[in-house]
Amino acid sequence: MSATRLLVLGVVRMFGRAHGYQVRRELLSWSADKWANVQPGSIYHALKKMTAEDLLEKIDVEPGDGGPDRVAYRLTPDGEQEFQTLLAKGLSDPSASNAELCAAISLMPALPRRNVISLLRQNLIHFEAEERRSQLGLEDDTWNKPPHVSELFRLWGGIAKASREWLTGLITRLEAGEYVMADDPGSAFGQPAQ
């Protein structure tokens, strides 16, 4: 999965139709260049590639002001399916990278609240298990590990604990009704714009 791919699909979906500069401007306003390493070139490359894959379609070409033409895109039905799949995977898959999880969190309002909570609970199970595994690794004296290797288990356990605590808090906030989700009145992310 690619964070850039998910983010580009999500922004085009959010606007209903968008050109590359609009996608770039929106993602820069989210600081995605810092937390997902989304660079302008990768945005334009993703737009072209996903158009070739029939996930996006060109719907309008405007002459550029002294520069290249501006091409407007929108999601195809396959693009909507890809977006939904990538978003669900980013929220639930423990093997997702940090950038992919961040991209999914930034786009989670595109899903109904109950779905997001269910997907996040799947990820929570992973962090709980990882925290237990790290503790067992610290306590395991059956193999002859150098004493300083225990620091790795402390690091892994600390990361898993912090992730579990954050995720538990997010689930609690969602259950309490925080954030406007796809099934809430006034949602900007609800259905893909046509």
Side-chain angles (χ1 to χ4, degrees):
M1 180 175 116
S2 159
T4 300
R5 188 176 181 93
L6 174 57
L7 288 166
V8 169
L9 286 170
V11 170
V12 171
R13 181 184 191 271
M14 184 177 73
F15 285 116
R17 57 171 269 148
H19 51 77
Y21 179 75
Q22 190 177 9
V23 173
R24 176 182 175 217
R25 187 179 63 226
E26 184 67 19
L27 290 176
L28 288 176
S29 77
W30 299 0
S31 299
D33 55 322
K34 295 173 182 58
W35 52 263
N37 196 30
V38 175
Q39 302 303 314
S42 62
I43 293 169
Y44 293 106
H45 174 75
L47 288 166
K48 287 178 184 174
K49 183 171 188 210
M50 289 190 287
T51 300
E53 296 172 351
D54 293 323
L55 301 177
L56 295 172
E57 63 181 337
K58 293 180 184 180
I59 57 169
D60 195 19
V61 179
E62 303 168 5
D65 298 330
D69 291 342
R70 286 192 176 174
V71 178
Y73 300 89
R74 73 173 165 213
L75 265 68
T76 64
D78 286 346
E80 175 65 22
Q81 182 60 47
E82 178 76 357
F83 171 74
Q84 294 289 331
T85 299
L86 293 175
L87 182 53
K89 184 176 181 185
L91 291 170
S92 65
D93 186 351
S95 68
S97 71
N98 187 50
E100 292 164 346
L101 176 60
C102 290
I105 294 296
S106 71
L107 293 166
M108 72 181 180
L111 296 176
R113 183 176 307 278
R114 188 168 299 173
N115 293 24
V116 173
I117 291 168
S118 176
L119 292 165
L120 292 174
R121 285 190 187 284
Q122 292 175 41
N123 217 344
L124 183 61
I125 291 167
H126 162 76
F127 290 124
E128 290 168 343
E130 196 59 38
E131 195 174 0
R132 282 192 300 276
R133 267 193 299 276
S134 297
Q135 186 59 42
L136 291 173
L138 274 172
E139 297 167 358
D140 185 1
D141 291 332
T142 60
W143 54 289
N144 191 15
K145 64 181 178 248
H148 64 278
V149 171
S150 295
E151 291 305 322
L152 293 174
F153 291 98
R154 287 187 186 93
L155 172 64
W156 297 329
I159 291 169
K161 179 181 179 184
S163 297
R164 177 188 51 79
E165 288 173 350
W166 166 77
L167 201 48
T168 300
L170 175 57
I171 291 168
T172 300
R173 290 186 291 280
L174 286 167
E175 289 174 335
E178 285 192 41
Y179 312 115
V180 178
M181 305 304 285
D183 52 344
D184 293 334
S187 171
F189 277 103
Q191 298 299 316
Q194 297 299 323

